Amino acid sequence: MVTLTRIYTRSGDKGKTSLGDGSRVGKHDLRVEAYGTVDEANAVIGLARLHAGPEMMTALERLQNDLFDLGADLCTPASADEAPGSRLRIVQSQVDRLEAEIDAANEKLAPLTSFILPAGSPLAAHLHHARTVVRRAERLMVALAEAEAVNPAAIIYANRLSDLLFVLARAGNGNGAADVLWVPGGAR
């Protein structure tokens, strides 16, 4: 458990921050960008929770906790001598749970006949926003993985999470009944 007694430390005043292993990097470091974007997605899910019913609230709270796990995973670079289970990492069972939740939510949705716009109810709009932020985090994670070791399960988790947020947004639009459909060329 984390204990915070002071909120400011002054250690980042010159543009550096500490990673989970204690190393110092620039605040613009790709690893910091990746876990910072995960944090942003978590905040957007917090906004979605303002509009969620009890069942959706429980699912979103679980996702927010997972996103803290993902942030912890990303902020701590893997070391060559890291023992399995010695660090908090995203694991396959978290990916499996997302896939089961996607399948369960998707069964209740009306089939898509068009791409949908990220709109509808306030809940759906916030979930679509969270989905796009997760997609950005995933892109940053993939870029980071080209330069440094990144837990492969973390990248897969982000990919599945954006899919889950898409189906949850549709659920938030009356299981797809209130989705706003894209009309190609409709604004010409």
Side-chain angles (χ1 to χ4, degrees):
M1 191 53 118
V2 174
T3 303
L4 299 174
T5 56
R6 288 183 67 194
I7 300 304
Y8 64 91
T9 62
R10 297 188 177 112
S11 64
D13 290 351
K14 294 184 179 175
K16 298 278 187 179
T17 192
S18 294
L19 297 178
D21 64 359
S23 61
R24 305 273 300 161
V25 297
K27 291 186 176 187
H28 62 283
D29 185 270
L30 191 52
R31 183 172 294 278
V32 177
E33 288 287 342
Y35 70 73
T37 304
V38 167
D39 189 37
E40 182 182 349
N42 205 337
V44 178
I45 290 172
L47 291 171
R49 287 180 63 181
L50 295 172
H51 306 282
E55 185 178 340
M56 180 80 74
M57 179 75 76
T58 299
L60 296 178
E61 182 177 350
R62 188 172 46 253
L63 293 177
Q64 285 190 296
N65 276 284
D66 275 359
L67 286 174
F68 260 80
D69 291 353
L70 180 57
D73 186 331
L74 291 170
C75 91
T76 306
S79 63
D81 60 346
E82 182 176 304
S86 64
R87 299 277 188 182
L88 181 57
R89 301 284 182 207
I90 293 295
V91 294
Q92 185 62 42
S93 62
Q94 289 170 292
V95 173
D96 294 343
R97 189 192 74 239
L98 291 183
E99 290 177 354
E101 290 175 359
I102 291 165
D103 292 342
N106 201 44
E107 285 180 6
K108 301 172 190 171
L109 298 176
L112 281 173
T113 58
S114 173
F115 289 109
I116 61 173
L117 302 179
S121 70
L123 173 60
H126 285 303
L127 290 170
H128 279 299
H129 184 190
R131 173 184 57 79
T132 65
V133 176
V134 169
R135 283 286 190 211
R136 180 164 26 99
E138 180 187 7
R139 291 189 301 272
L140 290 166
M141 292 164 63
V142 168
L144 177 62
E146 290 179 1
E148 300 179 39
V150 174
N151 175 8
I155 296 172
I156 296 168
Y157 181 90
N159 186 283
R160 294 305 182 282
L161 177 57
S162 61
D163 294 336
L164 177 59
L165 291 169
F166 177 78
V167 296
L168 291 179
R170 293 198 67 219
N173 271 340
N175 286 331
D179 283 339
V180 181
L181 300 180
W182 172 47
V183 179
R188 289 183 181 172

